[in-house]
Amino acid sequence: MISAFNTVGRLVSGFGSLENLGAEIRRLKGTKALVISDPGIKATGLLDPLIRVLDRTKLSYSLFAEVEPDPQIEVALASHAAAQAFGPDLIIGLGGGSSMDIAKVTSVMLTNPGPIDKYFGMELVPEPGLPLILIPTTAGTGSEMTSICVLSDTRNQVKKGIVSEHMFARVALLDPQLTVSLPPRATATTGMDALVHAMESYTGVRATVLTDTLNLQAIRMIAANLRRAYANGDNREARENMLFASCLAGMAFSNTQNGLDHALALAIGGKFHLPHGLLTAFILPWVMEFNLQAVPHKFIQIAQAFGERTDGVPEVEAARLSVKAIKSLLNDLDIFYKLGEYDVPRQEIPALAKAAIGAARLIMNNPRKVTEREIIQLLEANY
Ligand SMILES: [Fe+2]
């Protein structure tokens, strides 16, 4: 298989690394920055240190803090309009996946004529965007490391992706201090999203030696740190390790895409607005059970990363220990893994299966070939 590997050009990391933002902007010869974020980030005061740093740099900047969770296409258009009015030469995205995704798409919309519809899909954006600096405030989406932007098409009740190498950040800035105040529930769900990225990328058909290396390390770090970060958000070491793990997984899955778990998460999330990390988390054990016989050796590695003893256990049984480990993790994080718990009506299952199978970018990377009928069975079995 011929494969290519792309990633972000520069990573700046460590507690307090936000202080380096001014120097990074100057490196990129930025003079006028548009900061893209969301009202939640603004309300919790996480924008304040960024504003302080920008004020010190004496650069001109403007703020668009109106990104909502599961951003709709209209949010991207509003952000683009704000950018056009201000005329920046650099874009900064600060927040979770939603804010960073909107920052990415805004940077390319400024240099590529609309309508935005023609860019949904793989590598359909012709021109590079404005220089982009991404700063995550959750350890989960890995969006700072990917070339993917996911938007909600509310008219058709689906989530759609734009994938373009022109949406890679010029700099990803990882300051774990920004993740310390994240509440336990969001720590758990975003951390699980990072784990699902690593697992879907690791077990997927597009996996390479490079992505395996990143993903296995990410899985090990999450296995060792997610419970700690959930139990005590002030654990700086756990926070830092989770942020790095999320980054490693993002670096990998940007090159492989995800799999059936994300196809289902986007299908369910398009209709029922549950947090993305929660969706990917509760779907995970079902998809693992379905997929494990396609690549049992990889699921054995996952089981071992979670401390399961696989010596002397027959192959498929050893692989199945990974599902046991994930269910134990979900129990500890207080995440239920039955679809019926989440107010999704049973009669919606066929429509959800249809939407999931339509996400070709994701389904094509799934290690086990899957049909619409099998997805229906999977959802029924785990309702
Ligand atoms: Fe995800």
Side-chain angles (χ1 to χ4, degrees):
M1 183 177 74
I2 296 170
S3 63
F5 187 88
N6 279 307
T7 195
V8 167
R10 184 175 166 90
L11 251 179
V12 178
S13 62
F15 272 92
S17 56
L18 186 63
E19 294 297 320
N20 289 38
L21 180 63
E24 294 303 321
I25 294 172
R26 281 192 293 278
R27 261 190 87 254
L28 294 171
K29 306 211 179 334
T31 59
K32 212 174 169 190
L34 177 68
V35 178
I36 296 178
S37 193
D38 64 72
I41 295 284
K42 199 174 178 184
T44 51
L46 278 178
L47 270 174
D48 301 345
L50 177 105
I51 299 296
R52 273 199 299 277
V53 172
L54 288 176
D55 283 339
R56 268 207 314 274
T57 63
K58 304 204 165 47
L59 296 163
S60 155
Y61 66 87
S62 177
L63 188 60
F64 177 82
E66 286 158 49
V67 180
E68 59 200 37
D70 296 327
Q72 302 173 4
I73 294 170
E74 289 73 17
V75 175
L77 300 179
S79 169
H80 177 224
Q84 276 185 317
F86 178 61
D89 57 14
L90 182 132
I91 305 284
I92 298 170
L94 177 105
S98 304
S99 292
M100 291 192 284
D101 279 12
I102 293 294
K104 288 178 200 171
V105 72
T106 302
S107 102
V108 294
M109 282 169 72
L110 286 165
T111 53
N112 292 276
I116 190 172
D117 304 318
K118 61 185 181 188
Y119 303 127
F120 286 104
M122 302 286 280
E123 303 300 345
L124 299 173
V125 179
E127 299 297 326
L130 293 190
L132 182 63
I133 299 178
L134 295 179
I135 309 171
T137 58
T138 64
T141 65
S143 179
E144 72 279 8
M145 301 306 291
T146 75
S147 58
I148 308 164
C149 163
V150 178
L151 295 174
S152 297
D153 177 348
T154 43
R155 212 166 0 118
N156 300 307
Q157 292 198 320
V158 285
K159 288 191 161 193
K160 291 180 175 172
I162 299 175
V163 180
S164 165
E165 61 172 324
H166 296 314
M167 293 197 306
F168 276 117
R170 294 286 293 276
V171 178
L173 198 154
L174 306 183
D175 187 342
Q177 187 62 46
L178 296 170
T179 69
V180 168
S181 59
L182 196 67
R185 183 68 173 171
T187 299
T189 53
T190 55
M192 281 303 300
D193 189 30
L195 177 61
V196 178
H197 295 151
M199 284 178 45
E200 294 213 275
S201 179
Y202 179 60
T203 58
V205 297
R206 294 200 201 98
T208 65
V209 173
L210 278 171
T211 59
D212 282 355
T213 308
L214 297 165
N215 285 323
L216 206 45
Q217 178 65 12
I219 292 166
R220 288 178 181 141
M221 289 173 85
I222 294 167
N225 291 281
L226 180 50
R227 284 181 174 93
R228 290 178 202 188
Y230 177 64
N232 183 353
D234 292 336
N235 184 330
R236 286 162 62 93
E237 190 189 38
R239 290 293 196 188
E240 184 164 38
N241 285 332
M242 282 304 299
L243 191 55
F244 268 119
S246 165
C247 159
L248 293 175
M251 200 186 278
F253 88 80
S254 191
N255 289 280
T256 60
Q257 304 301 317
N258 284 299
L260 176 58
D261 182 315
H262 270 74
L264 278 166
L266 295 192
I268 302 172
K271 271 202 161 169
F272 305 95
H273 296 284
L274 296 160
H276 172 75
L278 177 63
L279 284 159
T280 59
F282 72 68
I283 293 165
L284 183 60
W286 324 339
V287 170
M288 289 174 75
E289 186 72 52
F290 179 77
N291 282 341
L292 63 85
Q293 55 181 305
V295 277
H297 58 293
K298 290 209 155 169
F299 282 94
I300 290 172
Q301 291 288 321
I302 294 167
Q304 289 172 352
F306 278 88
E308 295 293 331
R309 295 164 67 143
T310 57
D311 282 358
V313 181
E315 191 182 52
V316 175
E317 289 313 306
R320 200 159 274 131
L321 290 173
S322 65
V323 187
K324 174 178 161 244
I326 292 304
K327 286 184 174 172
S328 155
L329 176 63
L330 291 171
N331 289 337
D332 287 348
L333 299 177
D334 305 304
I335 296 173
F336 304 121
Y337 39 89
K338 286 286 178 199
L339 184 57
E341 301 274 1
Y342 295 97
D343 294 331
V344 175
R346 198 165 200 143
Q347 61 269 28
E348 290 287 338
I349 286 178
L352 295 172
K354 195 178 181 63
I357 204 84
R361 165 174 75 90
L362 301 164
I363 294 294
M364 277 163 60
N365 187 48
N366 199 61
R368 179 171 172 181
K369 296 229 187 270
V370 58
T371 63
E372 197 173 319
R373 196 182 152 73
E374 284 167 328
I375 297 179
I376 291 174
Q377 283 165 355
L378 193 71
L379 294 175
E380 284 288 351
N382 290 286
Y383 190 80

